[in-house]
Amino acid sequence: MALIEFKRCPHCGKPTWQEFIPQAPPAASYWRCRDCGDRRDAKRIRVGNGALLNHGRLQTEHLCADVLIIDISRRGTRVCCDEDLPITVHMDQRVLFNPQLQPFGELAHYQPGFVRWIRDMEFGICFEHPLSLSTSDITRIVKN
């Protein structure tokens, strides 16, 4: 469970909820605002709106379901639940995620990770181990 405190954000200056991040450097602070900025340190690649391209597979201890991929990076992904088949996940829950973006290779297999954040129907998954593919390789796979 994340350590959370209500305080003034050093970046945007407004009082907001912030969470303690144990691996601060190269960041200026161990606290990160939940409202401002992009907290991800890896470049995200936005997935297109193609019907089959943006469907990934999520597996937990109790269910296996399709999710819509909004974006993906070497360190994680942002996904959205299908409105017709909503699923319930919790913060820090261990999951397996298969992007299904390749017929074979790293983006065709389940990646272990955990749920990092949840907002309505969207949530973020942080991979346990970053993908070995470079950002440009991921971009090429997604765009082709």
Side-chain angles (χ1 to χ4, degrees):
M1 180 114 179
L3 179 62
I4 299 172
E5 188 174 308
F6 191 79
K7 59 194 267 181
R8 183 171 301 279
C9 175
H11 183 339
C12 69
K14 68 180 183 180
T16 183
W17 288 104
Q18 296 189 26
E19 62 183 321
F20 185 79
I21 308 297
Q23 58 273 39
S29 171
Y30 282 97
W31 293 93
R32 287 196 184 159
C33 176
R34 289 186 148 192
D35 293 338
C36 72
D38 186 3
R39 295 186 322 224
R40 291 169 28 163
D41 59 354
K43 183 182 178 207
R44 63 173 82 186
I45 295 99
R46 192 140 179 90
V47 177
N49 292 330
L52 295 175
L53 180 64
N54 63 349
H55 277 78
R57 196 94 174 128
L58 182 76
Q59 185 172 339
T60 67
E61 296 143 357
H62 306 292
L63 66 94
C64 190
D66 285 330
V67 291
L68 301 173
I69 304 170
I70 297 170
D71 61 47
I72 190 166
S73 72
R74 292 186 65 235
R75 297 189 176 269
T77 184
R78 182 171 79 174
V79 297
C80 182
C81 298
D82 189 358
E83 293 157 355
D84 297 333
L85 185 63
I87 59 173
T88 305
V89 294
H90 331 320
M91 289 282 290
D92 298 324
Q93 180 179 8
R94 243 179 96 65
V95 296
L96 293 172
F97 175 70
N98 186 344
Q100 299 179 341
L101 292 173
Q102 287 181 297
F104 55 88
E106 207 169 16
L107 294 178
H109 298 289
Y110 280 95
Q111 302 295 324
F114 61 93
V115 177
R116 184 77 173 115
W117 56 267
I118 302 170
R119 263 187 230 115
D120 299 325
M121 298 291 283
E122 291 183 10
F123 57 94
I125 299 170
C126 182
F127 300 144
E128 279 184 10
H129 308 286
L131 299 174
S132 61
L133 294 168
S134 69
T135 302
S136 59
D137 289 340
I138 297 171
T139 303
R140 213 172 302 127
I141 291 166
V142 168
K143 301 302 179 192
N144 287 336

